Amino acid sequence: MTQSTCLFCQIAEKKIPAKIAYEGKQIIAFHDIAPQAPVHILIIPKEHIATVNDFSEQEASLLGHMVLTAKKLAHELGIAEDGYRLNMNCNHLGGQTVFHTHLHLLAGRQFGWPPG
Ligand code: AMP
Ligand code: ZN
């Protein structure tokens, strides 16, 4: 189910424009509006799932699909060999600002550890 007040649900429903990088039955990927790296794509489930805390066993294959889509995009964009970062932020201390869960695909610059 989607939520009419949710920004990413509205992007998934094409009610708000975004630069779409991939679309499948269950997920959609689009370029971040405020990129933190030369490549910054968000991979989201079309279904409204607010945070990582809301995933259950039922969504195990959906989560796998999100990661495999990130890998596929990385290959298509030619960034797989150099490397990239996948990131999911959960709730306040995790730095989550949009409460429709999403996987960040970041690439094109060096990332450090710990992330800061
Ligand atoms: P997070 O802080 O993990 O919740 O990430 C939310 C991300 O959504 C941030 O990187 C924002 O720049 C991005 N964002 C917010 N609004 C939009 C939008 N309309 N289109 C694309 N990305 C967005
Ligand atoms: Zn949503």
Side-chain angles (χ1 to χ4, degrees):
M1 284 294 278
T2 57
Q3 281 190 4
S4 58
T5 53
C6 170
L7 174 64
F8 285 0
C9 280
Q10 290 183 69
I11 287 178
E13 290 184 320
K14 319 273 172 58
K15 288 177 179 157
I16 289 178
K19 198 178 157 203
I20 292 167
Y22 167 82
E23 181 166 10
K25 219 172 93 179
Q26 285 186 296
I27 67 179
I28 189 162
F30 52 91
H31 293 263
D32 197 290
I33 206 166
Q36 301 301 309
V39 174
H40 189 172
I41 293 174
L42 303 174
I43 297 138
I44 72 166
K46 287 185 171 176
E47 182 190 353
H48 182 84
I49 297 171
T51 81
V52 173
N53 288 337
D54 299 303
F55 281 115
S56 65
E57 282 295 324
Q58 231 180 304
E59 282 86 36
S61 82
L62 173 67
L63 273 162
H65 194 181
M66 287 167 72
V67 174
L68 290 172
T69 298
K71 185 197 91 168
K72 185 173 174 285
L73 284 169
H75 277 95
E76 282 173 11
L77 295 166
I79 55 170
E81 196 67 24
D82 282 343
Y84 50 93
R85 176 163 289 190
L86 298 181
N87 196 97
M88 286 181 99
N89 301 328
C90 182
N91 276 342
H92 178 60
L93 287 183
Q96 186 173 7
T97 59
V98 176
F99 287 83
H100 178 131
T101 198
H102 46 280
L103 179 65
H104 294 260
L105 167 61
L106 296 139
R109 68 171 171 86
Q110 181 66 58
F111 295 99
W113 190 262

